[in-house]
Amino acid sequence: MDTPKENKKIGLMTLVMMIISAIYGFANTPKAFMQMGYASIVWYILAALVFFLPVSLMLAEYGSSFKEAKGGIYSWLEGSIGEKWAFIGTFIWLAAWIVWMVQVASGYCIPLSSFIFGKDTTASWHLFGLSSVETLGIAGILLVLVVTFFSVRGMNAIAKVASIGGAFNVALNAIFLGASVIILVLNHGHLAQPVSGLGSFIHSPNAQFGTPIAMISFIVYAIFAYGGMETMGGIMDSLDKPEKTFPRGILLATIFIAVGYALTIFMWGFSTNWQHAFGSGKVTLGNVTYVLMGNLGISFGEAIGVSHHTALLFGQLMMRFTGFSILLAVTGSFFIMTYSPIKSFIMGSDSKLWPKRITKLNKAGMPAFAMWVQAAVVCVAIFFISFGGSTAAKFFTILINMGNVSTTFPYLFLVGAFPFFKRLKNIDRPFEFFKNRFWTNVLVIFCLVVLAGGIIFTIVQPILQHEYMTAFWTAIGPVFFGTVAFIFYAYSNRKRQRESNAD
């Protein structure tokens, strides 16, 4: 095996930017405002307190104790509950992120279009006589190939892109924050979406979210908005002083993300009246971010007293910058997900479970062949979805449904394994937040109930809407991926044992 080149170690602020790039979705806040108005703030704070913060602290303990492990969450699980369940849990996790990559690559051109044209024009894109769907498919495949090409060249490239994505994510929030405050001041404290007592933070202006069941569905949505922290486990060996940098980075990013979500949701009301923006029903979850940012620019122009034409220009500029920022943030996330999940799995597990080429590292210390195999799988899926017609469209829907629960399912393994991790003897614990065993177990059970409840409701909700096939494919995701992992592990384990006996 070639000796990897020494990459520059990742520092605290770069790690924080990478975490923000991977997790914080600015687009989640206008979607939340559209669905629940100010009432969404309570659920986002609740999700941060009952899910994001405790789970992040658990991951910080895992990461600091297993700081030398190259396998991220695989190494954490293997050290806590054994190889078999670590293999199955990490396989489900990797499969979900591959589905995520297919989704993101397929829709990558939408923020690009918003940046170039100030709106989504992808429906009219045609390359070499291809349909718009086929053209976007080709663009998505090119994205996967380009990202993989640079990712296999080392962690430095990934860190730089992810850090830039995180920085523009912060910049987008800063511009939004500054423009919103100026609008509020110049409008003498008048909110476009008025606050009518505590009821504004409890009841949604959206009639579709007026029932308890609909509110529960939004809690699930809020929890999912915090997903992705575990992907940082794959870069532990690239951090400078990981036992200190990792927990500090997690805590700083947790504070920024939780406060950022709550504050941003409230500040949408400075420039946007809910009824005026969403009463017509023309705004969708797909374009709401660009619509509200455009509206922010127009409101800013009106507040400072420019002409209507200039205010519209401000709106266009705001939409373009939003498209550019989201484009970079998505690119940063894509770079991380191209490398971290597969590295955690391949490099953390026993090399004898895999063909030799899969585990071989290149000169930059990257599992290049495994990453190119992953890229091939994603590209084939995108090609089939883009060129397969209506059958492929149904397949894409099925794929998304299978990935929805699978993305969150591995948290059950990570949280459930934590008490076993706490019982480990003769292990260095540079960072330890949870010291009382009883309350740790209580918190673990609580988090498991929250996660399991969210997963169960995600499956039950389509049943209540009589969408039985959606419910089936949503439920079958982790079952299918887990079964594939079980069969593959059983086969590879028997092969490993035969080779060991032969020696």
Side-chain angles (χ1 to χ4, degrees), residues 31-52:
K31 291 177 182 177
F33 186 75
M34 176 183 175
Q35 291 174 301
M36 291 280 287
Y38 291 141
S40 59
I41 295 173
V42 174
W43 302 119
Y44 264 73
I45 293 174
L46 185 64
L49 293 176
V50 305
F51 170 71
F52 190 50

Side-chain angles (χ1 to χ4, degrees), residues 103-113 139-140 143 327-328 330-331 334:
Q103 289 179 251
V104 170
S106 299
Y108 184 76
C109 288
I110 295 176
L112 178 63
S113 174
L143 170 68
L327 190 70
L328 289 178
V330 168
T331 303
F334 208 93

Side-chain angles (χ1 to χ4, degrees), residues 93-170:
W93 176 70
L94 175 61
W97 284 117
I98 288 177
V99 172
W100 177 88
M101 283 192 281
V102 174
Q103 289 179 251
V104 170
S106 299
Y108 184 76
C109 288
I110 295 176
L112 178 63
S113 174
S114 296
F115 166 55
I116 297 173
F117 304 107
K119 60 181 179 179
D120 181 11
T121 63
T122 55
S124 62
W125 289 19
H126 301 285
L127 182 67
F128 306 125
L130 299 174
S131 69
S132 61
V133 174
E134 292 167 346
T135 299
L136 295 182
I138 295 297
I141 290 172
L142 289 175
L143 170 68
V144 174
L145 296 177
V146 169
V147 169
T148 304
F149 175 81
F150 285 104
S151 294
V152 298
R153 275 152 177 74
M155 194 63 218
N156 287 344
I158 296 173
K160 286 178 182 177
V161 175
S163 183
I164 291 171
F168 269 87
N169 213 341
V170 173

